[in-house]
Every structure is written in C-alpha cells, then in structure tokens.
Amino acid sequence: MRGAGAVHRIVPDRGSARRRKRKTMTLRGSIGRLAVFGGLCLASLPGRAEVPANGAVYMDAAYGAVESLMRAKPGTVTLPRLADPVDGRILADVWNAPAILGTAPYTAASIEALLGIIQKQTQVLQAYLLFSPDPAKQKPDAARNAVEFQDELTRSHEFRLKLVAASLQAMNDFGARLTAEEKTDARFQGLRQMRLGLMEIVTGSALALRNPALRPANQLMLARSFSDNAAALAAGIAPLDRKAVIDALQAAMPNLKQDAQKAISGFAATVSAAPCDGLCRLE
C-alpha cells in the first residue's frame, strides 16, 4: 500500500489503550459475527438472489483495483483520494451500489454474497481509518484520519448502511422460510450474532456523523443514507436497539446543518413508527 503496508495489523491510536482496544474489537467483531452467522445459519433455501449474479465478482475486482492503487507508489504518505481525477474513478467502482447490490427486495439466497461484500467494504474502511504514513514508527491516528479521509470514509459508511439494510431484509426472508424443524437454537443464535455485527456497523456510522469536523456535504450524504434505509433497518432491529440508534443520531444533531437534521428526523420518525415483526421480535 502507499505508505500503509501494515495498516490492518496496527491498532489505531485514540488517546488511550482502552479506546484503541474498543475500536479494534468493534471493527473485527463485526466480521467475526458475520462469519458465525454464515457457519450456523446458511441453508439451501429456495429464492432468487437480488444481488446481481456478478455483484460479488464486481466487488472483488473493484477492491483489487483499489488495493493495487494503494500499492502503486511505495513511500508516498497518503491513500487514494476521491478528489483525484484518476484515483476517484477507481474508488467510485468500489462503492458502485447498483452494480454490486442490484435492487431490493433481498432474499435469503442473497445472504452469502452480502456477507462477502460487507467483509470487503470493511477492509476498505479500515484502510482509511487505520492508515499510518509510517507503520513501523507511527501508530495510526484514527481521529485525524476521520477528518483527513472523511470523503472516502463517508462513502464507505454510506455503502455499508445500504449493505446492512439489504442484509437485514435477506435475514428476515431467511427466517420467514424456515420450517418448524429448521428453527433450531443454533440458527437463532447465528441470527442474533449477525444482527449484533450489523448493529456495530450502524453504530459506527452514527458515531461518524457526530464528528464536528464533518463537512456539510458529507453530513448530508450520511444522514440521507440513514433516512433512505430507515424502513429496512427498522424491520431487522429490536426495539431497544432502535432506540439506541435514534439516541446516537440525535446526539449528532447539534453539529448538523438543517438538511441533515431533517433527514435524521425523518429516520427517527420512520423507525419509531415501524411495526415490530420478524427479526425485530428476536430478542
């Protein structure tokens, strides 16, 4: 990578060992819980996958291109930037939702593909959040990176929210298709674990929105992503988690411009009024 050869192996410096440990566990925990779900729950169920047949392949190719770009100029002290004419075109592919995700509704048959896409997207986010210009001598400064790379991180958060919404919809379809014999403790535990991992992604995006240095355009992009995906998120989130997400977003309101505040208010209204069925009822 361009100055970030060991970025995934270094814990971010957030000012204390406790915060560093918490952030690392959150980033890794999401992936671990998704893997648990894949191992415990996936079954051969009928249903069409709304993730395009080549969506995962497109994601892999886009990720590979970004990774190659990061390695293209050893010794430089930054990562690919959206504002760069060349870098920006390559980065745009890794967040090309129509090509990678297709369209809703997402069924149980989409889950495996969604898991792989989430893993790749998390690796992209980690590359920016945990970047260090000199990994051998300098620990990553996640707080500085959140400001410096906010354009790239906002796009990553936005796309991961779409992935969470799609995954929760697919999980609801999975649960609805289970026969009485298939409703085992292992499957329900897998569902709980995956939902917990997905909730960590949602919480991470909410915390990103609270960054007072976030520019208005990025505020609005992320706030609208919450609003646009509100119904799908609510359908898969238990009532206490719904409240926790709303509270986290409302804590960001003082830092937001009016349009972003309006989007978050819309999210809160949709989630608060949503019925609790299916996965929402799984405690």
Side-chain angles (χ1 to χ4, degrees):
M1 289 186 180
R2 293 159 65 177
V7 68
H8 295 301
R9 297 191 294 275
I10 297 178
V11 179
D13 184 2
R14 295 298 300 273
S16 75
R18 181 176 298 174
R19 289 200 298 272
R20 289 197 299 270
K21 183 177 180 181
R22 184 185 306 126
K23 175 58 71 175
T24 302
M25 290 177 64
T26 296
L27 290 169
R28 294 176 181 172
S30 298
I31 296 301
R33 290 188 180 96
L34 299 182
V36 167
F37 175 82
L40 292 177
C41 289
L42 287 180
S44 298
L45 294 173
R48 58 200 176 94
E50 290 299 338
V51 173
N54 65 340
V57 174
Y58 189 105
M59 178 70 236
D60 288 346
Y63 175 81
V66 170
E67 195 172 41
S68 296
L69 187 61
M70 289 177 175
R71 293 194 178 108
K73 297 179 181 179
T76 59
V77 292
T78 190
L79 292 173
R81 307 305 302 270
L82 273 168
D84 182 272
V86 176
D87 292 359
R89 287 197 298 272
I90 295 173
L91 284 169
D93 269 347
V94 87
W95 297 307
N96 186 340
I100 296 168
L101 284 182
T103 58
Y106 298 95
T107 68
S110 298
I111 291 174
E112 187 173 4
L114 288 167
L115 294 182
I117 295 167
I118 287 173
Q119 289 179 329
K120 283 291 192 302
Q121 287 293 331
T122 297
Q123 290 169 24
V124 173
L125 181 142
Q126 286 178 320
Y128 285 94
L129 190 62
L130 307 184
F131 170 75
S132 171
D134 189 354
K137 298 179 181 179
Q138 181 179 342
K139 292 181 179 179
D141 185 342
R144 187 198 73 83
N145 290 340
V147 177
E148 174 67 21
F149 299 120
Q150 63 174 277
D151 292 345
E152 294 77 21
L153 287 167
T154 298
R155 289 292 297 274
S156 186
H157 283 298
E158 178 203 28
F159 193 43
R160 294 206 314 162
L161 281 173
K162 293 177 183 177
L163 282 163
V164 170
S167 297
L168 290 172
Q169 189 175 85
M171 289 167 63
N172 264 317
D173 182 69
F174 178 91
R177 292 173 182 272
L178 292 175
T179 65
E181 293 76 16
E182 291 170 333
K183 293 179 179 179
T184 64
D185 289 342
R187 282 199 171 92
F188 286 133
Q189 182 60 19
L191 285 167
R192 292 185 188 96
Q193 289 295 313
M194 183 182 181
R195 186 174 63 182
L196 184 56
L198 295 174
M199 279 302 302
E200 288 178 354
I201 293 174
V202 175
T203 299
S205 295
L207 290 174
L209 193 58
R210 292 170 62 174
N211 185 348
L214 204 62
R215 291 187 287 272
N218 288 329
Q219 287 183 358
L220 184 58
M221 180 182 295
L222 191 48
R224 282 180 173 168
S225 187
F226 272 101
S227 180
D228 291 345
N229 294 290
L233 292 173
I237 299 176
L240 287 178
D241 288 332
R242 289 181 179 185
K243 182 180 184 305
V245 174
I246 291 172
D247 288 347
L249 290 172
Q250 288 179 337
M253 293 286 263
N255 295 325
L256 303 181
K257 300 297 184 182
Q258 185 174 359
D259 286 349
Q261 288 182 345
K262 183 177 180 181
I264 294 304
S265 295
F267 171 87
T270 297
V271 171
S272 297
C276 187
D277 300 309
L279 190 60
C280 173
R281 298 174 62 185
L282 182 64
E283 296 295 340

